[in-house]
Amino acid sequence: MNDSYLKFVNSPFGARLARSLGLPKPEVLRRYRADRPEFEGLVAIGAGREPRLLDALANLIASIGVTSVAHESAGLWVPLANRHGLMTGRFEPAESGSQGKLAALLFDASGIEDSSQLAPLHGFFHDTLRSLGRCGRIVVLGRPPEACASPRQWTAQRALEGFTRSLGKEARRGITANLVYVAQGAEGSVEATLRFFLSPRSAYVSGQVVRIDTGGATAPTSSAFDWSQPLAGRRAVVTGAARGIGASIASVLAAEGAHVIGIDIPSARDALDATMRQLNGTALAFDIAAPEAPAQIAAALDEQGVDIVVHNAGITKDKTIAKVAEAAWQSVIDINLSAQERIDDALLAAGILRDGGRIVGVSSISGIAGNLGQTNYAASKAGVIGRVQSMAPQLRARGITINAVAPGFIETQMTAKIPLTLREAGRRMNSMSQGGQPVDVAQTIAWLAHPGAAGVTGQVVRVCGQSLIGA
Amino acid sequence: MNDSYLKFVNSPFGARLARSLGLPKPEVLRRYRADRPEFEGLVAIGAGREPRLLDALANLIASIGVTSVAHESAGLWVPLANRHGLMTGRFEPAESGSQGKLAALLFDASGIEDSSQLAPLHGFFHDTLRSLGRCGRIVVLGRPPEACASPRQWTAQRALEGFTRSLGKEARRGITANLVYVAQGAEGSVEATLRFFLSPRSAYVSGQVVRIDTGGATAPTSSAFDWSQPLAGRRAVVTGAARGIGASIASVLAAEGAHVIGIDIPSARDALDATMRQLNGTALAFDIAAPEAPAQIAAALDEQGVDIVVHNAGITKDKTIAKVAEAAWQSVIDINLSAQERIDDALLAAGILRDGGRIVGVSSISGIAGNLGQTNYAASKAGVIGRVQSMAPQLRARGITINAVAPGFIETQMTAKIPLTLREAGRRMNSMSQGGQPVDVAQTIAWLAHPGAAGVTGQVVRVCGQSLIGA
């Protein structure tokens, strides 16, 4: 829960010592606070040939109320911004003393159709990266490779992944870099996702690749949202909500306006009650592993229905396969994976999860990369990925999205018990040189639960500060 | 080129010291040698419910001439093996002193349709893993998740990834663990791939997921191959063949019977000539970056055609984006990616690459995960992944496969120049606790070039000893 190194090197004395010894100096990440502006500062715009997303970006810039400057690669930006009634200027390079002046770098790569056309990416980031301030944001926008008309275009768009991930690894200073692929026709559905990636809400999300498609049958238009209370009137179920990451998820969803129904095991009833009381939520004490639980949960939710289901409850029983007993091994699969399947199926079959709903499963980096002593846990968390990939097409007609978040090293009571050396390695082996906070997972889930994220489905988003570890 | 730690801890004194200090002791990996049996020892067979691949496994076991033992999870194996005329027995658990007796563990998970059916994976590996000897092999077989009929089945099959990757991380002792998804109808096309994963040829390939589909129009049947000279009569082009990994690729393809045409830049002509002379190959000195190169290469190959194209040539110009000049940045993209596109297009358009051919591109872990100071290199190598994914469907009708290998830390002159601390980290941060050898990349390419690998296309196989690093 407590990264004392992070605090130390950000104290006056510690900073001096770290500098003189060449120690890593993790940045204190700027996180969302309701009492501070979510968006501020200058945003620099760059583009490749024939950019197709500048209109969408102009709408976004207008909506979040920041000022833009155009890099020379984005010659179309100034007249376009003027047509949108936006103040805008031209980017002045770092030599003229603009270090740290920029809050975000946005590059529209959507028109790049061949690997020989990638040079503007170099031009823009070469010129602007040093001017990006601490905890700045980088978003590269492209087209989903697999939907491209030609292999050349697919290849060039796919190359953006290696580029953006490398940028994330060299930017440091709490800067995030993410890649958003916008499908043709989905240009009007980018705002909720771009807001997230530009906001301090995504403080610990970097090196990720997200696709926005045209959304399900019931995708609402951007103008329909109250951006300050996007979940107002929605009912959200969160499993494992008594403590830790689950309580944080419940709290963020409630802050966004949702009525939260927290579920946890009967032995955690007191903590669950206390958490839900604070949020004006509803507490349901059920053991999700029990065979009767799905029907009981469905019955409890039947009358009012539900819009958001977050499968956060999970357990670990770490032992190498040669040592772990079958019952322990199987219980991890059952609680972390099979229970999600049973509960979703019950809620979907009875229509309790409403059309336009949201399902978010909590996976893990272990489910992506595997982990020593976690054959059971990693299998269950890889299964969660299979679940969102397999269910997404089936739920599309009802406008329901299903996605997974995959946390990396998050500071919790669980990680506080990891032996010091391993804990330090987990904390430092990522682009932020620190562990994340439960709220980072919660904010990512709140974005996926947003009514404006209708075009984001079947995806896995890591909340890991761009951990080195992967597959 | 020289891992002195690996040598030291495998000396009598070094081993004692490492043991007493608790230092990691990387295994000396067993690699393929023409003068030693490729397959030997006992193979244990396990299975989930209703396994569909046991017949294919029985054919494989018969073909490679090893003896199998059946775990209790694979009750069907003994009668089936008997029908195939195979000697077989029952697996006796570790308690009875069978430690290290097994050469490989094969688990058929193809019939698993629900996450609640995963327990036999625990049973089999719980009982057998301790009996698996040094440099042993683990292969889990399943069905491609995305082709499964139900979300439940897709989810359970996808769970195998987390399971297998975790096994690879806990097995150690030079053991590899890989997951092979066999499409329905492709049961007869598994042999080349399973031979590779059971052979010492795959010494440094672990934690990988490979799909075998029913192959292109011209997929030959297994019985058609001479397994000792599978590339006899084939012509193989290898770029960057003068030295290093390229020379090793050329050498392995030649040993498998191919006539190798090595390409390298004019300034490397002497080394290229020497390498090709040794292999009775053909040397072509071309700068692949030159605009006229594709036409020149096509002209040189036109008369006799070609069956295998390996795009190995590549350069690095590592600098952070703020520091790297545009020309340097762009040259890496051009040589590592655009040149591949231009050459392939020339060979394909003129029909010089014959039907049933093979294209293999060399990608990199940097292309998957990104890397500090490598925005150009990582973009080019991510583009190589896009290239194989985009071209595979287009080439299917002609029976041509296109795949990529993504090397991790390989001991070469290039990696020998990395500063010691970084080099040691790169060497140890994988399940083998050591760097790979050029021959490991070459053997992987030889498998993808095999006529029996017709069902493997559009894929990326890491040759990284299951590096921790990924995306």
Side-chain angles (χ1 to χ4, degrees):
Chain A
M1 310 283 270
N2 201 330
D3 184 342
S4 44
Y5 179 79
L6 173 69
K7 283 189 189 152
F8 174 70
V9 295
N10 282 288
S11 69
F13 172 71
R16 234 179 317 142
L17 190 70
R19 204 160 38 235
S20 68
L21 294 177
L23 296 174
K25 185 172 170 296
E27 199 70 41
V28 176
L29 301 183
R30 194 162 76 96
R31 289 192 168 83
Y32 174 75
R33 288 177 51 165
D35 60 352
R36 296 243 184 106
E38 187 169 358
F39 305 102
E40 52 186 343
L42 278 181
V43 175
I45 308 285
R49 64 182 288 286
E50 297 189 26
R52 314 295 165 85
L53 299 168
L54 294 184
D55 259 311
L57 291 181
N59 287 330
L60 171 79
I61 297 289
S63 176
I64 65 177
V66 295
T67 305
S68 62
V69 288
H71 179 258
E72 59 178 18
S73 61
L76 297 168
W77 181 257
V78 175
L80 186 140
N82 289 341
R83 279 203 303 282
H84 282 259
L86 296 173
M87 293 260 297
T88 193
R90 295 190 183 278
F91 170 75
E92 305 293 336
E95 288 74 63
S96 60
S98 65
Q99 247 91 349
K101 293 278 177 63
L102 297 175
L105 309 178
L106 290 175
F107 188 91
D108 180 353
S110 61
I112 293 176
E113 293 184 339
D114 192 286
S115 62
S116 62
Q117 299 162 357
L118 292 166
L121 284 159
H122 168 271
F124 177 66
F125 290 103
H126 176 75
D127 294 347
T128 59
L129 187 58
R130 274 194 273 222
S131 302
L132 184 60
R134 298 190 302 145
C135 300
R137 294 287 180 265
I138 295 170
V139 181
V140 176
L141 296 118
R143 293 297 197 190
E146 59 284 359
C148 288
S150 74
R152 289 286 184 109
Q153 188 183 4
W154 176 326
T155 297
Q157 290 293 324
R158 184 63 176 73
L160 300 175
E161 251 198 63
F163 179 83
T164 309
R165 291 203 158 114
S166 298
L167 263 192
K169 289 186 176 179
E170 64 187 57
R172 301 283 164 166
R173 297 180 287 136
I175 292 167
T176 63
N178 294 286
L179 172 59
V180 177
Y181 285 127
V182 181
Q184 240 164 346
E187 293 82 0
S189 314
V190 301
E191 187 170 346
T193 296
L194 293 184
R195 275 181 176 253
F196 174 70
F197 282 117
L198 291 178
S199 160
R201 295 178 195 262
S202 60
Y204 202 63
V205 181
S206 188
Q208 299 308 294
V209 181
V210 168
R211 285 161 168 79
I212 304 179
D213 70 25
T214 50
T218 59
T221 57
S222 290
S223 54
F225 314 133
D226 172 359
W227 292 104
S228 69
Q229 286 278 290
L231 305 183
R234 314 242 158 181
R235 291 165 52 81
V237 170
V238 179
T239 67
R243 302 189 188 88
I245 293 176
S248 183
I249 296 165
S251 162
V252 169
L253 296 180
E256 301 287 290
H259 178 86
V260 175
I261 300 109
I263 297 181
D264 217 313
I265 47 175
S267 62
R269 185 190 291 267
D270 290 349
L272 180 68
D273 284 343
T275 303
M276 290 303 122
R277 240 191 329 269
Q278 282 192 320
L279 307 175
N280 291 317
T282 305
L284 291 181
F286 287 124
D287 175 1
I288 59 166
E292 63 277 13
Q296 290 174 331
I297 293 170
L301 301 172
D302 188 30
E303 201 173 325
Q304 296 187 265
V306 66
D307 304 283
I308 297 159
V309 178
V310 181
H311 295 290
N312 163 71
I315 61 169
T316 56
K317 301 213 171 181
D318 293 359
K319 261 187 189 170
T320 58
I321 191 119
K323 289 188 181 157
V324 64
E326 180 173 345
W329 194 89
Q330 187 62 33
S331 69
V332 171
I333 303 281
D334 187 60
I335 292 176
N336 295 4
L337 178 57
S338 310
Q340 287 193 21
E341 299 182 291
R342 293 191 298 259
I343 292 169
D344 280 349
D345 286 356
L347 298 181
L348 287 165
I352 295 166
L353 178 61
R354 281 192 278 268
D355 288 1
R358 300 282 181 267
I359 303 174
V360 183
V362 177
S363 179
S364 161
I365 286 201
S366 289
I368 294 169
N371 197 10
L372 197 155
Q374 294 198 314
T375 52
N376 48 5
Y377 185 76
S380 73
K381 296 301 190 178
V384 169
I385 294 171
R387 175 131 185 98
V388 307
Q389 292 173 335
S390 61
M391 289 296 288
Q394 303 224 341
L395 298 175
R396 191 174 297 257
R398 292 175 58 183
I400 297 172
T401 69
I402 180 167
N403 294 286
V405 295
F409 187 95
I410 304 293
E411 304 280 353
T412 62
Q413 287 180 326
M414 202 160 83
T415 52
K417 287 181 196 147
I418 296 173
L420 179 69
T421 325
L422 271 179
R423 192 167 71 229
E424 273 302 299
R427 276 177 175 154
R428 305 304 159 214
M429 279 168 59
N430 59 71
S431 295
M432 304 297 147
S433 297
Q434 61 193 285
Q437 297 293 334
V439 72
D440 298 323
V441 179
Q443 291 285 6
T444 306
I445 290 173
W447 153 53
L448 294 168
H450 195 288
V456 180
T457 190
Q459 298 183 50
V460 182
V461 180
R462 289 169 48 148
V463 184
C464 66
Q466 194 177 29
S467 170
L468 271 186
I469 297 172
Chain B
M1 311 282 269
N2 202 330
D3 185 343
S4 44
Y5 179 78
L6 173 70
K7 284 189 187 152
F8 175 70
V9 295
N10 282 287
S11 69
F13 172 70
R16 234 179 319 140
L17 190 70
R19 205 160 39 236
S20 68
L21 294 177
L23 297 175
K25 186 173 170 296
E27 200 70 41
V28 175
L29 301 183
R30 194 162 76 94
R31 290 192 167 84
Y32 174 75
R33 288 178 51 166
D35 61 351
R36 295 244 183 104
E38 187 169 358
F39 304 103
E40 53 187 341
L42 277 179
V43 175
I45 310 284
R49 64 182 287 287
E50 298 189 27
R52 312 295 163 87
L53 299 167
L54 294 184
D55 260 309
L57 291 181
N59 287 330
L60 171 78
I61 297 288
S63 175
I64 65 177
V66 296
T67 304
S68 63
V69 289
H71 179 257
E72 60 178 18
S73 62
L76 297 166
W77 180 256
V78 175
L80 184 139
N82 288 340
R83 278 204 302 282
H84 282 258
L86 297 172
M87 293 260 297
T88 194
R90 294 189 184 280
F91 170 75
E92 305 292 336
E95 288 74 66
S96 60
S98 64
Q99 248 90 351
K101 293 281 178 61
L102 297 175
L105 309 179
L106 290 175
F107 189 92
D108 181 353
S110 61
I112 293 177
E113 294 184 336
D114 192 287
S115 62
S116 62
Q117 299 162 357
L118 292 165
L121 284 159
H122 169 270
F124 177 66
F125 290 102
H126 176 76
D127 294 349
T128 59
L129 187 58
R130 274 194 275 222
S131 302
L132 185 60
R134 298 189 304 146
C135 301
R137 294 287 179 265
I138 295 170
V139 181
V140 176
L141 296 120
R143 292 298 196 189
E146 58 284 359
C148 287
S150 74
R152 289 287 184 108
Q153 188 184 1
W154 176 327
T155 298
Q157 290 292 325
R158 185 62 178 72
L160 299 175
E161 252 199 63
F163 179 83
T164 308
R165 292 203 157 114
S166 298
L167 263 192
K169 289 188 175 179
E170 64 186 58
R172 302 282 163 164
R173 297 179 288 135
I175 292 167
T176 64
N178 294 286
L179 172 59
V180 177
Y181 285 127
V182 182
Q184 240 163 346
E187 293 81 359
S189 314
V190 301
E191 187 170 344
T193 297
L194 293 184
R195 274 180 177 253
F196 174 70
F197 283 117
L198 292 178
S199 160
R201 295 178 195 262
S202 61
Y204 202 62
V205 181
S206 189
Q208 299 309 294
V209 181
V210 168
R211 285 160 168 80
I212 304 179
D213 71 25
T214 49
T218 59
T221 57
S222 290
S223 54
F225 314 134
D226 172 359
W227 291 104
S228 69
Q229 286 278 290
L231 304 183
R234 314 241 159 183
R235 290 164 53 82
V237 170
V238 179
T239 67
R243 302 190 190 88
I245 292 176
S248 183
I249 295 166
S251 162
V252 169
L253 296 180
E256 302 286 291
H259 178 85
V260 176
I261 300 110
I263 297 181
D264 218 314
I265 48 174
S267 61
R269 185 191 291 267
D270 289 350
L272 180 68
D273 284 343
T275 303
M276 288 304 121
R277 241 190 329 269
Q278 280 193 321
L279 306 175
N280 291 315
T282 305
L284 292 181
F286 286 124
D287 176 1
I288 58 167
E292 63 278 14
Q296 290 174 331
I297 293 170
L301 300 173
D302 189 30
E303 200 174 324
Q304 295 188 265
V306 66
D307 305 283
I308 297 160
V309 178
V310 181
H311 295 289
N312 163 72
I315 61 168
T316 56
K317 301 213 171 180
D318 293 0
K319 261 186 189 170
T320 58
I321 191 126
K323 290 187 180 158
V324 66
E326 179 172 346
W329 194 87
Q330 186 62 32
S331 69
V332 171
I333 303 280
D334 186 59
I335 292 177
N336 295 3
L337 178 57
S338 309
Q340 286 192 23
E341 299 182 293
R342 293 191 298 260
I343 293 169
D344 280 350
D345 286 356
L347 298 181
L348 287 165
I352 295 166
L353 179 61
R354 281 192 279 269
D355 288 2
R358 301 281 181 268
I359 303 173
V360 184
V362 176
S363 179
S364 162
I365 287 202
S366 289
I368 294 169
N371 197 11
L372 198 155
Q374 293 197 315
T375 51
N376 49 3
Y377 186 76
S380 73
K381 296 301 189 178
V384 170
I385 294 172
R387 174 129 186 99
V388 308
Q389 292 173 334
S390 61
M391 289 297 287
Q394 303 224 342
L395 298 175
R396 191 175 297 258
R398 293 176 56 183
I400 296 172
T401 69
I402 179 167
N403 294 285
V405 295
F409 188 95
I410 304 294
E411 304 279 354
T412 63
Q413 287 180 326
M414 200 161 87
T415 52
K417 288 180 198 147
I418 296 173
L420 179 69
T421 325
L422 272 178
R423 193 168 70 230
E424 273 302 300
R427 277 179 174 151
R428 306 303 161 215
M429 279 170 57
N430 60 70
S431 294
M432 304 296 147
S433 297
Q434 61 193 285
Q437 297 293 332
V439 71
D440 298 324
V441 178
Q443 290 286 5
T444 306
I445 290 172
W447 153 54
L448 294 168
H450 195 288
V456 180
T457 190
Q459 298 184 50
V460 183
V461 181
R462 290 169 47 148
V463 184
C464 66
Q466 194 177 28
S467 170
L468 270 186
I469 297 173

